[in-house]
Amino acid sequence: MKKTVLIVQEDQVFREELQQLLLEYYQVIEAANGEEALSIAEFRQPDLIIMDGDMPDRNGIKVCSELKSGVATRTIPLLLLSSSTTKTDIINGLYSGADDYLTKPIRSTEILARVDAHLRGKVFYTGLEQNDLQMLLELSEIISVSRNPLKILQTIVERIARAVGVGRCSILSFTANGELLVKASSDLPKTGEIRLELSNYPEISTAIMTKKTVVINDMTTNPLLEPVRDRIKNLDMNSVIVVPIVKKESIIGTFFLRTASPLKHAITERVYKLCHLVANMSSNALENAALFELMLSKQRYLEEMTLRDGLTTLYNHQHFYTRIEEEFYRAVRYGTPLSCLFFDIDDFKKVNDRYGHVCGDEVLRQIGRMLNNLIRESDIAARYGGEEFAILLPNTGANGAIVLADRLRTALGEIVVVEMNGTRITASIGIATFVDGNMSSYEQLIKQADETMYQSKMTGKDRVTVAAGCPAGVNP
Ligand code: GH3
Ligand code: MG
Ligand code: MG
């Protein structure tokens, strides 16, 4: 049998609009004013009431209170429908006894979802403190205005952690390939991509598997945590709640809240309700977070590409200058050495002339790939010009640069382009090192590296020359 919904609404047009919306699923009865509402509610005992919050003289709020204090009507879920979106009005509505509120204009899917949830006893504001309602409303405002889902999730966990006074509150995403990633955490401001091993968290895996909330009020004795007892025994924690975050019937994550040890049996009804409400609020943001991150990484990729040379993917000339300036001042400030290595491919014109530009390009492309593998994370490799390259080696003296130069000569010798019939690629290499204040500018460092490279060219190519004042080289 269909459940009965009482619509209390002064505006006839609006009343009919609501009726049309609900008629397919519910038996709908109507009241046009507060008086009628009170008598019909008592007499017909509807399963749910949708109350007009905009009746004159705050009549809707008054009728709410009367219905909620009447013996025969107090248990009927009551939804306050109001055009007022100010926090105080909504809070007053909820304090008058309304179980939930909706704001006009009405959105059909939202109304149907809320009515359904209340009829199944799923939504509840009772038992929350006034501050909690205030916080929930503020969170929904932030959610509706912020375009950064990760920030939304971070705000949610921070506000809840503060409201409940817990050790940790996190929102985790559970991806289609079974990964559990921390998206926001109250005690870790920058979560990045922290991955959790599901087997270390039986409470989370149970929530995901059963699609049900897991509450553990004493972590020291609960049997569910037996497999990880040793791992958690020294951690400062006592109670935990894990609420699945669901989107279109599938689990997309969990809301996780854990208290520190003095807070025994901390998952009270209030905490339970708060966690459920915010888990629901988080679901859109969590879904959008993946999209958002993809967009950010694309943006970062595009930004990075403007610093790089298209053919070799090495940094371009301009970025090399930016970095050498930064690194030079860092070296001056911290008294660390800074080496600069220049190299120019020998007889590259011949490569082009004999085998064509396409082969020449392939050699340059392979050099780019090789250099990216050869150098450390902190080194900077750039295509300085056509077939001329530069490598900046922070915190590296001439000896370290010579070692790299040797590896570079070997790696160049290993470059193979099939059409080139075994032609070996060689380069003339020059090294200069800033150490102990031996230079006054980065331009000087570049000039010395360039000049020593030229010396290698002049003295027979395929060799390494180290600028004067640096340790002896290892030329062939
Ligand atoms: P050396 O040993 O004195 O350095 O002789 P070289 O032939 O390498 O030097 P030169 O400066 O005479 O010629 C450089 C050649 O590099 C000429 C130019 O066409 C080629 N080159 C520069 N940029 C590119 C590029 O992007 N692709 C190709 N395929 N060739 C390039
Ligand atoms: Mg050359
Ligand atoms: Mg050249």
Side-chain angles (χ1 to χ4, degrees):
M1 204 179 79
K2 280 185 179 174
K3 299 220 165 167
T4 306
V5 174
L6 168 62
I7 299 172
V8 184
Q9 191 62 241
E10 271 202 343
D11 180 334
Q12 193 191 343
V13 177
F14 196 62
R15 194 165 69 231
E16 277 167 15
E17 192 185 333
L18 263 177
Q19 188 199 25
Q20 284 308 315
L21 185 65
L22 296 166
L23 215 49
E24 188 179 340
Y25 309 96
Y26 307 106
Q27 189 186 348
V28 179
I29 51 179
E30 297 171 29
N33 57 52
E35 283 303 305
E36 258 182 60
L38 289 169
S39 60
I40 293 176
E42 195 165 344
F43 179 63
R44 297 285 302 271
Q45 289 288 301
D47 297 293
L48 181 136
I49 301 168
I50 300 179
M51 172 67 65
D52 184 357
D54 298 336
M55 288 193 280
D57 304 328
R58 306 173 56 76
N59 204 6
I61 309 276
K62 279 187 221 148
V63 180
C64 264
S65 308
E66 283 194 41
L67 284 167
K68 281 297 176 182
S69 49
V71 181
T73 50
R74 62 176 7 135
T75 57
I76 303 171
L78 196 151
L79 256 127
L80 192 67
L81 184 59
S82 166
S83 57
S84 162
T85 50
T86 67
K87 271 182 252 158
T88 40
D89 279 8
I90 292 170
I91 288 176
N92 283 335
L94 293 168
Y95 269 91
S96 72
D99 297 279
D100 200 353
Y101 65 91
L102 283 163
T103 48
K104 292 179 194 169
I106 56 167
R107 289 168 294 272
S108 52
T109 46
E110 191 182 350
I111 285 214
L112 289 171
R114 299 273 194 111
V115 167
D116 178 61
H118 282 281
L119 286 172
R120 291 190 288 138
K122 283 275 171 73
V123 181
F124 26 61
Y125 289 101
T126 46
L128 296 185
E129 294 168 7
Q130 171 122 24
N131 286 345
D132 297 338
L133 296 173
Q134 183 89 23
M135 177 193 63
L136 290 170
L137 286 164
E138 278 167 16
L139 281 179
S140 46
E141 269 175 11
I142 291 166
I143 289 171
S144 61
V145 297
S146 174
R147 296 205 291 168
N148 179 339
L150 292 172
K151 232 182 209 157
I152 292 177
L153 298 177
Q154 188 62 29
T155 310
I156 291 176
V157 295
E158 281 170 9
R159 298 294 294 270
I160 291 291
R162 214 183 315 146
V164 182
V166 292
R168 172 174 292 181
C169 174
S170 321
I171 292 172
L172 315 171
S173 84
F174 182 63
T175 64
N177 49 15
E179 275 183 339
L180 195 61
L181 303 171
V182 181
K183 288 290 161 194
S185 184
S186 61
D187 58 347
L188 303 166
K190 283 215 165 77
T191 48
E193 284 289 278
I194 299 173
R195 214 169 292 265
L196 297 187
E197 186 49 57
L198 203 51
S199 60
N200 287 339
Y201 297 86
E203 68 278 33
I204 298 179
S205 42
T206 305
I208 288 173
M209 263 176 345
T210 59
K211 293 195 180 183
K212 290 206 172 99
T213 300
V214 171
V215 174
I216 296 175
N217 255 320
D218 186 350
M219 294 179 77
T220 53
T221 57
N222 192 289
L224 185 64
L225 299 176
E226 206 47 59
V228 292
R229 188 77 63 215
D230 272 354
R231 215 178 57 82
I232 64 170
K233 71 170 182 273
N234 294 324
L235 298 178
D236 181 33
M237 54 200 195
N238 202 275
S239 308
V240 68
I241 175 167
V242 185
V243 185
I245 299 177
V246 180
K247 187 87 204 179
K248 297 186 199 102
E249 317 251 308
S250 33
I251 304 260
I252 60 164
T254 64
F255 184 85
F256 176 92
L257 184 143
R258 193 169 75 191
T259 68
S261 49
L263 283 168
K264 284 212 159 84
H265 296 274
I267 313 301
T268 57
E269 192 187 356
R270 167 183 167 246
V271 174
Y272 183 90
K273 286 181 176 178
L274 272 179
C275 291
H276 278 81
L277 288 164
V278 293
N280 270 337
M281 289 170 118
S282 311
S283 106
N284 275 335
L286 190 58
E287 190 185 43
N288 291 341
L291 228 65
F292 185 77
E293 279 170 350
L294 190 70
M295 188 194 78
L296 269 192
S297 69
K298 275 207 171 134
Q299 194 176 325
R300 268 188 226 116
Y301 173 77
L302 289 177
E303 276 167 14
E304 178 79 7
M305 286 321 284
T306 65
L307 310 176
R308 291 187 183 268
D309 158 58
L311 181 67
T312 60
T313 76
L314 298 170
Y315 286 117
N316 57 28
H317 185 100
Q318 194 186 351
H319 187 62
F320 180 77
Y321 267 85
T322 311
R323 292 303 313 274
I324 197 169
E325 186 174 1
E326 284 169 13
E327 292 300 334
F328 189 84
Y329 287 110
R330 204 195 308 270
V332 170
R333 179 150 181 217
Y334 297 105
T336 49
L338 174 66
S339 288
C340 181
L341 184 155
F342 267 40
F343 71 95
D344 180 289
I345 313 290
D346 297 328
D347 305 314
F348 197 58
K349 198 164 176 313
K350 280 190 199 148
V351 170
N352 278 323
D353 291 347
R354 275 190 205 150
Y355 310 107
H357 241 76
V358 176
C359 278
D361 281 0
E362 176 56 23
V363 171
L364 296 174
R365 206 175 285 123
Q366 285 196 35
I367 290 177
R369 209 175 307 141
M370 176 269 283
L371 284 183
N372 280 331
N373 291 328
L374 199 71
I375 59 170
R376 287 191 222 148
E377 191 82 20
S378 52
D379 299 340
I380 297 124
R383 185 178 182 198
Y384 196 75
E387 27 77 85
E388 199 174 320
F389 298 85
I391 308 174
L392 194 59
L393 304 162
N395 219 353
T396 306
N399 282 324
I402 291 166
V403 172
L404 179 77
D406 258 9
R407 283 174 35 222
L408 172 63
R409 291 184 64 232
T410 309
L412 284 169
E414 288 167 356
I415 285 179
V416 175
V417 176
V418 182
E419 293 82 356
M420 284 169 48
N421 310 323
T423 303
R424 243 183 108 245
I425 298 293
T426 64
S428 302
I429 305 173
I431 291 170
T433 298
F434 167 74
V435 61
D436 297 333
N438 63 345
M439 296 175 204
S440 55
S441 68
Y442 68 90
E443 286 96 341
Q444 213 177 332
L445 181 59
I446 291 176
K447 189 160 173 275
Q448 277 201 18
D450 193 39
E451 280 171 6
T452 47
M453 177 182 81
Y454 189 68
Q455 274 177 40
S456 288
K457 219 37 125 188
M458 292 299 102
T459 51
K461 308 186 182 181
D462 187 18
R463 65 192 55 219
V464 184
T465 309
V466 180
C470 300
V474 282
N475 287 330

